């Protein structure tokens, strides 16, 4: 089964991005394209009421890949900045802001239930949220094309 990236290709466009730790030039020589994935990152504060004790507060950071409809835990809320990006395929946002928030609320509740024994549902408050694109570099290599994560530098073979 062949999967193709679906999105809008731009010769040049301005995007709000998570700043790359690996530049396009560092990713490889020759033809290097880019793919921009839409993300929304939430910092959630949970408050757990405890009988006969003071309330307990905890925090989680959730990163929502709005193209693949996936929520994962993150270490922190990234900084974002506006950049002009050349030769980039911008993937569509498959989750609205409301859908992203609902999926995140569900994930935070599950993470809380794995960590704490609760009598009642915790209060979940979103204290910060950030929208931005994460860039991946598509690099042509003699041994085969690869995709490089611009934030952490991990590299995987690009499969058809």
């Amino acid at each position: 089964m062949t999967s193709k990236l679906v999105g809008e290709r731009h010769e040049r466009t301005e995007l709000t991005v998570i700043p790359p730790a690996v530049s396009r030039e560092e990713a490889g020589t020759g033809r290097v394209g880019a793919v921009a994935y839409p993300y929304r990152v939430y910092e959630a504060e949970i408050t757990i009421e405890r009988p006969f004790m003071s309330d307990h507060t905890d925090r989680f950071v959730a990163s929502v890949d709005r193209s693949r409809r996936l929520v994962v835990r993150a270490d922190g809320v990234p900084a974002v900045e506006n950049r002009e990006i050349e030769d980039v395929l911008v993937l569509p946002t498959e989750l609205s802001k409301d859908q992203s928030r609902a999926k995140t609320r569900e994930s935070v509740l599950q993470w809380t239930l794995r960590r704490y024994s609760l009598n009642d549902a915790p209060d979940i408050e979103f204290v910060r949220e950030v929208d931005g694109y994460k860039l991946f570099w598509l690099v042509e290599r003699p041994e085969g094309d690869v995709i490089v994560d611009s934030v952490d530098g991990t590299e995987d073979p690009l499969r058809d």
Side-chain angles (χ1 to χ4, degrees), residues 138-139 143-148 154-160:
L138 301 175
V139 183
E143 62 276 5
D145 296 349
V146 297
I147 187 164
V148 178
T154 56
E155 185 174 303
D156 291 303
L158 189 62
R159 298 178 192 93
D160 289 337

Side-chain angles (χ1 to χ4, degrees), residues 27 48 50 80 88 107 117 121 135 138 156:
I48 301 166
R50 301 183 301 179
V80 292
V88 61
S107 294
S117 177
L135 299 172
L138 301 175
D156 291 303

Side-chain angles (χ1 to χ4, degrees), residues 42-46 59-60 77 101 124-129:
Y42 293 93
E43 182 177 6
E45 182 177 276
I46 60 156
R59 288 182 184 262
F60 292 102
V77 179
R101 183 176 278 266
I124 300 172
E125 179 184 352
F126 294 110
V127 294
R128 189 164 47 150
E129 55 190 68

Side-chain angles (χ1 to χ4, degrees), residues 18-117:
I18 300 168
V22 176
S23 72
R24 189 178 217 142
E25 295 74 27
E26 292 170 322
T29 57
R31 171 114 170 82
V32 179
V35 178
Y37 277 87
Y39 277 83
R40 176 169 271 234
V41 180
Y42 293 93
E43 182 177 6
E45 182 177 276
I46 60 156
T47 303
I48 301 166
E49 292 183 15
R50 301 183 301 179
F52 311 112
M53 299 171 70
S54 62
D55 292 350
H56 179 73
T57 304
D58 201 352
R59 288 182 184 262
F60 292 102
V61 177
S63 179
V64 183
D65 180 330
R66 294 175 71 192
S67 186
R68 294 185 290 176
R69 304 173 188 203
L70 178 68
V71 180
V72 296
R73 285 186 58 182
D75 294 331
V77 179
V80 292
E81 61 186 31
N82 289 331
R83 284 198 182 186
E84 191 170 290
I85 310 294
E86 295 180 6
D87 187 22
V88 61
L89 179 69
V90 179
L91 295 182
T93 299
E94 299 292 334
L95 290 176
S96 69
K97 290 181 180 185
D98 289 341
Q99 290 169 321
S100 295
R101 183 176 278 266
K103 284 185 77 67
T104 300
R105 184 174 297 281
E106 181 180 311
S107 294
V108 167
L109 179 59
Q110 289 175 0
W111 300 334
T112 303
L113 291 173
R114 287 184 193 139
R115 185 177 280 182
Y116 301 102
S117 177

